[in-house]
Amino acid sequence: MSHVNETIVNIQVTVPFWEFQVDHLDDDKLVELILAQGDKKDRRTNVKADMTDWNMIAHEPFQQIVCRVEDVIKEWYDTRAGVVLLTTLTACWGAVYRKGDFTVPHAHLPDSYSFVYYPKADPGCSPLMFKGYTYQPKTGYGVIFPSYLDHMVEAEESDNLRVVVAGNLGVTAHRDPLPALE
């Protein structure tokens, strides 16, 4: 039996993060929709807060967010590499953080990109934290980041709700077909 020796070296590199907004999205109605779902996951996931089902894409506001996220990522690749990116949504859910709620450190592998949109995030609410970077949520804004990045949310200290839509995408590129192997 052969053994593979692997060495992992961590280096600091620039990682693209994209902040985005969604035109014509009614954040208040989105918050109502997420609140109406209740806690479907009983805090059994990395999110220790009320969480919807994993696949909320049947709801139009979730579709608007996902379409915007896909557009941002596809435009970036088209501009920099002239590549037509194909995206696959693997999950899209909502969560409601109340005082004391948090998310344990985790990543979203094997997906390519993850996103969080904030239909309700009061000033001073718990930020989305990465090693070496903190994103402070703002109502009506979201952030897209590579899925391999470990991230977390510390316990919410405010009495106000912090409501999020999160999701993951896999990507592949459309290129000229590969020649057949002989």
Side-chain angles (χ1 to χ4, degrees):
M1 173 185 258
S2 66
H3 294 277
V4 176
N5 291 325
E6 179 180 308
T7 301
I8 297 175
V9 177
N10 291 315
I11 60 172
Q12 290 186 341
V13 296
T14 301
V15 176
F17 275 64
W18 298 282
E19 187 175 60
F20 68 96
Q21 291 182 284
V22 182
D23 292 335
H24 313 294
L25 182 65
D26 188 334
D27 286 326
D28 292 333
K29 284 188 179 178
L30 180 55
V31 168
E32 289 175 20
L33 173 63
I34 294 168
L35 285 169
Q37 296 296 310
D39 186 13
K40 304 284 188 182
K41 298 298 173 192
D42 299 321
R43 299 170 189 253
R44 294 183 319 246
T45 72
N46 293 318
V47 176
K48 305 307 178 191
D50 290 356
M51 189 174 149
T52 67
D53 285 323
W54 287 113
N55 189 359
M56 295 292 291
I57 196 65
H59 300 279
E60 204 271 329
F62 285 81
Q63 293 170 17
Q64 285 180 264
I65 294 165
V66 170
C67 285
R68 180 67 181 129
V69 168
E70 289 174 323
D71 287 348
V72 168
I73 296 169
K74 287 176 179 181
E75 181 180 328
W76 190 84
Y77 275 86
D78 182 48
T79 301
R80 280 152 189 82
V83 173
V84 176
L85 205 66
L86 307 173
T87 58
T88 303
L89 181 70
T90 61
C92 185
W93 65 95
V96 178
Y97 292 78
R98 293 178 171 81
K99 190 170 190 169
D101 290 346
F102 62 97
T103 297
V104 300
H106 68 286
H108 292 278
L109 294 171
D111 293 306
S112 301
Y113 290 100
S114 297
F115 64 89
V116 183
Y117 176 80
Y118 299 90
K120 181 166 177 24
D122 292 338
C125 69
S126 292
L128 178 60
M129 300 175 69
F130 303 84
K131 290 180 183 174
Y133 179 73
T134 298
Y135 180 79
Q136 185 60 53
K138 298 175 280 199
T139 297
Y141 287 83
V143 64
I144 304 165
F145 55 92
S147 295
Y148 67 82
L149 292 177
D150 288 327
H151 55 285
M152 62 176 282
V153 176
E154 290 184 336
E156 181 59 55
E157 294 181 2
S158 170
D159 289 324
N160 299 325
L161 298 180
R162 177 184 180 274
V163 182
V164 307
V165 170
N168 301 312
L169 296 164
V171 300
T172 56
H174 177 70
R175 297 185 175 99
D176 294 334
L178 294 172
L181 297 176
E182 295 181 16

